């Protein structure tokens, strides 16, 4: 719609925003009318109309098999459009049109904003299945007529009220028509069933909807008065009511076809099962986060026990081995701590990498600087946990073997993430400017426990590749190439 309006018309951005607000609401008008809606806007030179939006009803057969958006029609070909635009009134005159052997009643509704007519809604009703209307259909049609008059007067949609049509109740979910006093004139079967779910034992017709809703909802003191007002439809609002184990979602729409409120439409939907599932998901999320928190605490306890044991070791090699184990356990604990703070099983790995670098840097011979370049981005938990251990081992190996005691140096961790949808990969490089690899060293065959852990995790769990190479000028470079999921 944006492109069509800006290409063909003289409407301003604020006018376009009004049309967007109208289109976000007009599924309701289409359903209540049992009719297709097409929004026509005059072109810049005033000689044609362009159709910028279309809506089909959920409550009846369509009048248009084809998509009408983008069609251009010369002025004069459709007199009802001309009359509605020029006179600023709803036009219903004329005999039904025949389209592919289907009779179609056409009406035109001017779209007004701040006294100006921006365009015209063509309401097209398929008359092939017309029958004697029921009370529900009559209520629908009367409500549609009231809304159409409000659109023509520029009082609908309601400025500042943005409705999420994916979650908001629709006409078929349940509809209640109120008079100006808030008394129920008509309630659809679905609406009555929803109120029965709240505990209503009688009919709704003749009841004051605000008062009966407040009685069915749990007592909330001063809130009851506000609930009475909301459910009476005095203002356009969307809210939920819970009682007797049921939850219904309501949306109130004041009806002011001639500027004075004559009543209200209340759309409602039983969302009991939806809210129950949402609460179950929230409970599951909380449980998962608590599990990660407890795992992190247990791992920290294990690390503390290993640290205590290391202090009591007489053997230097035994103490070093336990210190390495402490860091390995600590890297996993960092991941679980991060997961315990998230709502999903994905983590921002840059924070984890920085903490791993800081933890391993504690074993630095004294003057070695560790830093990170690039971004790892968001990773799934099943990637983050083994990757944190790999990063710990590679950094630990660099700090232990690349530099002698007191030597200055740098260890740099670089991350480059490719976001190709078919083959997203994470390329990690850890390079140092230390003394380099021993002559004849083969990283794929080395028996060092740390390198064995790296090979197993990278190739086995992460499905990536691992290599250790001499640096460009000096030192050593470790390259990890790991497949990852594209970031959303």
């Amino acid at each position: 719609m944006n492109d069509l309006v800006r290409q063909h018309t003289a409407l301003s951005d604020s006018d376009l925003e009004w049309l967007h607000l109208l289109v976000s609401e007009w599924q309701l008008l289409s359903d209540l009318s049992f009719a297709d809606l097409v929004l026509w806007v005059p072109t810049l030179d005033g000689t044609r109309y362009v159709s910028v939006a279309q809506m089909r009803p959920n409550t009846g057969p369509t009048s248009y098999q084809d998509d009408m958006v983008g069609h251009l029609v010369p002025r004069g070909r459709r007199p009802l459009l001309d009359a509605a635009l020029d006179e600023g009134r709803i036009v219903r005159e004329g005999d039904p049109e025949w389209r592919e052997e289907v009779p179609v009643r056409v009406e035109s509704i001017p779209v007004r904003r701040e006294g100006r007519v921006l365009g015209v809604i063509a309401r097209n009703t398929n008359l092939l299945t017309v029958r004697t209307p029921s009370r529900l259909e009559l209520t629908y049609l009367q409500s549609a007529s009231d809304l159409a008059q409000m659109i023509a007067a520029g009082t609908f949609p309601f400025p500042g009220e943005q409705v999420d049509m994916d979650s908001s109740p629709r006409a078929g979910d349940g509809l209640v028509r109120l008079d100006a006093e808030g008394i129920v004139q008509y309630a659809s079967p679905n609406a009555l069933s929803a109120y029965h779910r709240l505990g209503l034992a009688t009919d709704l017709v003749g009841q004051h909807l605000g008062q009966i809703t407040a009685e069915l909802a749990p007592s909330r003191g001063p809130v009851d008065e506000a609930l009475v007002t909301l459910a009476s439809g005095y203002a356009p609002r969307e809210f939920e009511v819970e009682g007797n184990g049921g939850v219904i979602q309501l949306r109130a729409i004041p009806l002011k076809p001639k500027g004075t409120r004559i009543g209200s439409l209340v759309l409602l939907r039983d969302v009991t099962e939806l809210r129950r599932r949402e609460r179950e998901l929230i409970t599951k999320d909380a449980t998962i986060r608590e599990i990660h928190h407890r795992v992190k605490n247990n791992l920290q306890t294990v690390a503390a026990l290993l640290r205590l044991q290391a202090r009591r070791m007489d053997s230097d090699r035994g103490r070093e081995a336990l210190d390495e184990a402490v860091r390995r356990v600590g890297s996993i604990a960092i991941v679980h701590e991060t997961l315990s703070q998230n709502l999903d099983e994905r983590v921002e790995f840059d924070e984890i990498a920085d903490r791993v670098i800081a933890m391993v840097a504690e074993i630095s011979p004294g003057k070695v600087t560790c830093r990170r370049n690039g971004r790892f981005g968001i990773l799934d938990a099943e990637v983050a946990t083994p990757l944190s251990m790999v990063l710990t081992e590679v950094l630990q190996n660099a700090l232990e073997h690349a530099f002698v005691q007191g030597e200055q140096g740098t260890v740099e961790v670089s991350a480059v993430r490719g976001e190709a949808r078919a083959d997203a990969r994470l390329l990690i490089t850890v390079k140092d400017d230390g003394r380099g690899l021993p002559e004849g060293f083969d990283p794929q065959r080395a028996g060092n426990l740390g390198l064995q852990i790296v090979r197993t995790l990278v190739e086995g769990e992460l499905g990536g590749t691992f290599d250790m190479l001499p640096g460009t000028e000096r030192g050593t470079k470790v390259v990890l190439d790991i497949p990852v999921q594209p970031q959303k």
Side-chain angles (χ1 to χ4, degrees):
M1 186 165 73
N2 287 355
D3 294 340
L4 288 170
V5 168
R6 287 168 179 156
Q7 179 182 353
H8 294 286
T9 78
L11 297 182
S12 65
D13 288 343
S14 57
D15 292 334
L16 178 57
E17 189 62 32
W18 181 262
L19 295 184
H20 274 293
L21 190 60
L22 172 66
V23 169
S24 72
E25 293 272 24
W26 71 343
Q27 179 71 65
L28 174 62
L29 178 62
S30 177
D31 290 344
L32 293 176
S33 304
F34 309 98
D36 290 72
L37 306 179
V38 180
L39 178 57
W40 296 93
V41 180
T43 57
L44 184 62
D45 57 10
T47 62
R48 295 180 297 175
Y49 298 97
V50 57
S51 59
V52 298
Q54 178 179 0
M55 178 58 65
R56 293 183 172 91
N58 294 318
T59 52
T62 183
S63 302
Y64 286 110
Q65 298 299 324
D66 299 327
D67 186 4
M68 295 296 296
V69 175
H71 283 215
L72 290 165
V73 173
R75 185 178 172 87
R77 179 175 295 179
R78 300 194 176 184
L80 297 187
L81 292 182
D82 298 338
L85 183 69
D86 296 339
E87 302 173 22
R89 65 180 180 88
I90 299 175
V91 182
R92 295 191 175 95
E93 298 90 350
D95 297 327
E97 297 180 4
W98 287 84
R99 299 176 188 162
E100 298 180 358
E101 299 183 355
V102 175
V104 176
R105 183 175 65 243
V106 181
E107 304 166 87
S108 295
I109 305 166
V111 178
R112 191 183 303 273
R113 174 179 179 264
E114 297 180 350
R116 296 181 300 112
V117 177
L118 306 183
V120 179
I121 294 176
R123 182 163 57 179
N124 303 269
T125 306
N126 186 325
L127 300 178
L128 194 61
T129 58
V130 170
R131 61 185 185 279
T132 303
S134 65
R135 178 72 188 281
L136 181 145
E137 291 170 333
L138 289 173
T139 303
Y140 271 30
L141 292 171
Q142 180 58 54
S143 301
S145 176
D146 293 335
L147 288 177
Q149 291 182 59
M150 292 170 65
I151 291 173
T155 58
F156 186 82
F158 302 108
E161 189 199 17
Q162 191 69 40
V163 177
D164 184 359
M165 295 308 297
D166 290 334
S167 61
S168 184
R170 300 192 176 192
D173 296 327
L175 178 143
V176 177
R177 173 89 185 210
L178 308 179
D179 66 12
E181 303 301 321
I183 305 300
V184 177
Q185 295 180 313
Y186 175 78
S188 71
N190 284 346
L192 189 59
S193 296
Y195 266 83
H196 285 166
R197 188 73 175 263
L198 288 183
L200 180 69
T202 61
D203 195 0
L204 270 175
V205 176
Q207 303 265 23
H208 190 284
L209 188 67
Q211 293 176 359
I212 200 70
T213 303
E215 291 172 5
L216 294 172
S219 178
R220 299 176 184 172
V223 180
D224 284 347
E225 185 175 343
L227 184 58
V228 171
T229 303
L230 288 172
S232 299
Y234 289 104
R237 292 288 186 274
E238 192 168 311
F239 57 98
E240 287 188 3
V241 175
E242 183 171 356
N244 194 41
V247 184
I248 60 173
Q249 182 183 14
L250 300 97
R251 182 189 175 204
I253 302 173
L255 296 176
K256 304 177 181 179
K258 297 181 180 179
T260 303
R261 181 175 170 274
I262 63 168
S264 304
L265 272 185
V266 177
L267 307 179
L268 56 94
R269 179 172 57 164
D270 185 347
V271 292
T272 305
E273 293 304 315
L274 178 63
R275 296 295 175 261
R276 182 184 63 81
R277 290 196 295 269
E278 287 178 351
R279 288 166 185 166
E280 287 180 352
L281 289 174
I282 291 172
T283 302
K284 289 179 181 178
D285 286 340
T287 301
I288 291 171
R289 292 170 66 182
E290 178 62 22
I291 289 172
H292 285 304
H293 182 71
R294 294 190 181 188
V295 170
K296 181 263 296 184
N297 288 345
N298 290 340
L299 289 171
Q300 289 181 338
T301 301
V302 172
L305 292 173
L306 292 173
R307 200 176 291 112
L308 286 173
Q309 186 66 42
R311 292 172 184 169
R312 287 163 172 76
M313 292 289 293
D314 295 330
S315 168
D316 291 339
R317 293 189 62 185
R319 188 181 302 109
E320 291 174 2
L322 288 175
D323 286 340
E324 288 182 1
V326 168
R327 285 186 285 275
R328 288 166 183 153
V329 172
S331 66
I332 302 175
I334 291 173
V335 176
H336 282 281
E337 182 178 3
T338 305
L339 287 168
S340 70
Q341 300 168 359
N342 293 340
L343 293 176
D344 55 19
E345 291 292 290
R346 292 167 66 82
V347 296
E348 179 62 62
F349 196 80
D350 296 305
E351 178 186 348
I352 294 174
D354 290 339
R355 294 180 63 180
V356 167
I357 291 170
M359 177 183 67
V360 178
E362 294 177 0
I363 67 167
S364 169
K367 299 182 180 180
V368 178
T369 302
C370 297
R371 61 171 179 260
R372 172 178 65 86
N373 292 321
R375 293 192 69 250
F376 289 85
I378 297 175
L379 298 176
D380 294 332
E382 59 263 27
V383 174
T385 302
L387 183 57
S388 68
M389 286 194 66
V390 168
L391 190 58
T392 300
E393 296 299 331
V394 173
L395 287 170
Q396 190 167 275
N397 188 70
L399 291 171
E400 285 184 353
H401 301 293
F403 307 98
V404 298
Q405 187 70 33
E407 184 180 5
Q408 291 186 346
T410 302
V411 177
E412 183 176 302
V413 179
S414 300
V416 178
R417 186 157 182 170
E419 290 299 333
R421 291 185 178 272
D423 186 26
R425 305 191 73 82
L426 178 61
L427 184 65
I428 305 168
T429 305
V430 181
K431 58 183 179 180
D432 63 69
D433 54 4
R435 52 189 168 182
L437 295 173
E439 187 176 348
F441 179 81
D442 184 358
Q444 303 300 331
R445 295 179 176 272
N448 178 285
L449 176 60
L451 291 181
Q452 289 181 10
I453 291 174
V454 170
R455 283 198 300 269
T456 300
L457 292 177
V458 172
E459 297 173 2
E461 290 199 33
L462 297 175
T465 60
F466 156 72
D467 202 1
M468 183 179 284
L469 310 165
T472 305
E473 297 181 359
R474 56 175 299 184
T476 305
K477 179 170 66 174
V478 175
V479 180
L480 307 171
D481 188 359
I482 299 168
V484 293
Q485 291 293 325
Q487 297 189 89
K488 297 179 181 180

